[in-house]
Amino acid sequence: MTTQDGNRVLDPQVASANPQTPNEFCHQAAMDTDASAAYAKSAQIFSHNRRFIPGGVVSVNRAVQPEIVFVKGQGAHIWDADGNQYIDYHAAFAPHFLGHNDPYVTDAVISVLREGASLYGSGTTELEGQLAELICRNIPAVESVQFLNTGSEATYEAIRLARAVTRRDHLVVMQGGYNGWHDDVSCNLMTPLDVIGPRVTPGEYPYIPMSAGIPREHQKLVHPINFNDLESVEYVCQKYSIAALITEPILQNLGIIKPLVGYLEGLRRLADRYGFILIFDEVKTGFRHGIAGYAGIAGVIPDLAVYGKALANGYPIAALGGKKELMDWFVHPEPSKRVLLAGTYNSHPVPTAAAIATIERLLMNDGEVYRHVEFLGQKMQEGLEQILRNLGSEAVIARQGSAFCIYFMDHCPKDWHDLADHHDFGFDEQLRRKLIELGVYFFPVAAKQCSISFAHTTGDIEATLEQIKNRLCEMLR
Ligand SMILES: Cc1ncc(COP(=O)(O)O)c(C=O)c1O
């Protein structure tokens, strides 16, 4: 299929085997050494903002090198204050699944504002009902849904709801998972192995807070275990009264760490056996990997699921949905059982309209968005694998649809310990920074997911592969 830019092709292409030796291959790579960007204006803005904002950034994970101030995003591209242009694979930590400022979504937002829609803070709106219906009709795991502003708020409420329903307090989280910034879950992401020690199975890891200020008593209620390890789920269930287990169905805050065959089904079985609430955190996987999220692909129905990011293509809204009998606890007739969910900005008309438009766009033309990103994802994967093969590198590509990660190790990791033990973090980060100099924005932190959007073109992927080839040749020589 070809769109306005005349540059999208949906036919899969398979990269042909390349008989060149690594040296011949590198020799041919056009080395582009004078593409380093100047960041003078960015530096000026950072310096101004540091005077008024601690650290100069409003979310700590945005503090990365090089320090760049972005001023514009359109489609697959972003521009910085110094006029440098980048092909964007960060996508602001993944929400921009249709691309920056997608015209269909932008039109919907402008329309609601033109119509005079506002935030009323009283009763409901037709827009909320429309969005709720779209979600419930398209996601089998969601019979009933509530809206919040961020993924963190939604995971917070999911856990609170699970505790209320089960009358239990303990929570299981994944070592290497990320479910937001609040006390229950801001722990054990890329925890240094000398802090948590070697892999334990079956067993649990100590709660290692990612923030000061989390009460110790609270930390005792949270049990981090390995991803892809059902024995450890049984271990904690036998030891504690577990209210809920929350997991990303794919660990997408460590790149792309997929569930092993049978793992998600196993979680479902254990949830039924031990009576805990199974929460899928689909904040990153939801809508990006299909309209019904990764649960839809895996065919596993969690009790509760949480969505954000790609739900509204960059506008701030999150959804918490699941079984009606659980969701009804938000309006439980007995006040002592009722779960509080509140928020001045919940379902603000702008992100609500953006979410409706995003889902409509995802459903259009029999899923062309998903076909296009799968085609580009495949092209990226095959291109990268070819480059790595030609260079004699053992590195591997992990990918789910539009999301991918290069692991500089000889296999795709199955959990955090596997990744921490084998991945070349320094090399990964070095490559990312070099690519930024060349106008390809991979977030400059090792093992972070790269995200392709519907707005990316075959040309973007080819240009990216060329730059990666050049840089890898340089770095591996
Ligand atoms: C899987 C997952 N869950 C929850 C969150 C928290 O979402 P938010 O940053 O919108 O609070 C994130 C954010 O990156 C995430 O990746």
Side-chain angles (χ1 to χ4, degrees), residues 150-152 178-181 248 253 281 283-284 309:
T150 65
S152 298
Y178 182 68
N179 310 110
W181 47 255
E248 301 168 72
N253 284 279
D281 178 347
V283 167
K284 265 193 156 173
K309 304 216 185 218

Side-chain angles (χ1 to χ4, degrees), residues 29-52:
M31 304 301 287
D32 183 359
T33 48
D34 57 4
S36 67
Y39 308 123
K41 182 75 178 148
S42 283
Q44 221 176 43
I45 295 169
F46 256 100
S47 150
H48 170 271
N49 290 7
R50 276 205 178 87
R51 290 169 51 209
F52 306 103

Side-chain angles (χ1 to χ4, degrees), residues 97-162:
F97 181 47
L98 297 173
H100 290 267
N101 289 315
D102 176 79
Y104 189 80
V105 177
T106 304
D107 282 352
V109 166
I110 291 170
S111 286
V112 284
L113 289 173
R114 283 237 169 87
E115 285 159 14
S118 184
L119 181 68
Y120 309 107
S122 179
T124 188
T125 67
E126 270 191 293
L127 276 183
E128 285 166 18
Q130 261 176 41
L131 178 58
E133 182 174 354
L134 265 177
I135 291 177
C136 293
R137 289 203 187 282
N138 284 289
I139 307 182
V142 178
E143 295 169 1
S144 171
V145 65
Q146 275 289 8
F147 298 113
L148 306 101
N149 305 291
T150 65
S152 298
E153 291 171 48
T155 57
Y156 183 93
E157 283 290 346
I159 293 163
R160 175 184 271 185
L161 176 58

Side-chain angles (χ1 to χ4, degrees), residues 169-316:
D169 291 337
H170 290 262
L171 173 70
V172 182
V173 299
M174 294 302 146
Q175 172 63 53
Y178 182 68
N179 310 110
W181 47 255
H182 53 87
D183 288 359
D184 279 315
V185 291
S186 56
C187 62
N188 298 66
L189 180 53
M190 291 175 131
T191 327
L193 293 195
D194 57 0
V195 174
I196 46 168
R199 175 183 290 102
V200 288
T201 176
E204 62 177 306
Y205 299 103
Y207 179 109
I208 308 296
M210 286 163 64
S211 168
I214 300 177
R216 274 177 204 284
E217 285 310 306
H218 198 96
Q219 297 180 23
K220 290 181 190 158
L221 299 175
V222 182
H223 308 283
I225 61 167
N226 302 317
F227 188 64
N228 274 326
D229 176 0
L230 293 172
E231 280 182 48
S232 290
V233 179
E234 295 226 57
Y235 172 90
V236 286
C237 284
Q238 282 162 13
K239 213 166 154 196
Y240 311 101
S241 207
I242 302 293
L245 179 150
I246 184 164
T247 185
E248 301 168 72
I250 298 177
L251 293 189
Q252 285 194 199
N253 284 279
L254 295 182
I256 303 288
I257 299 190
K258 291 194 183 182
L260 296 174
V261 176
Y263 176 63
L264 297 178
E265 292 84 343
L267 291 181
R268 179 66 275 166
R269 235 182 1 260
L270 292 175
D272 294 338
R273 184 180 313 157
Y274 290 99
F276 64 78
I277 303 295
L278 179 60
I279 305 169
F280 279 177
D281 178 347
E282 297 242 38
V283 167
K284 265 193 156 173
T285 49
F287 299 95
R288 182 169 280 277
H289 300 326
I291 204 79
Y294 195 74
I297 292 172
V300 176
I301 305 274
D303 298 302
L304 295 173
V306 173
Y307 306 87
K309 304 216 185 218
L311 163 61
N313 201 50
Y315 285 87

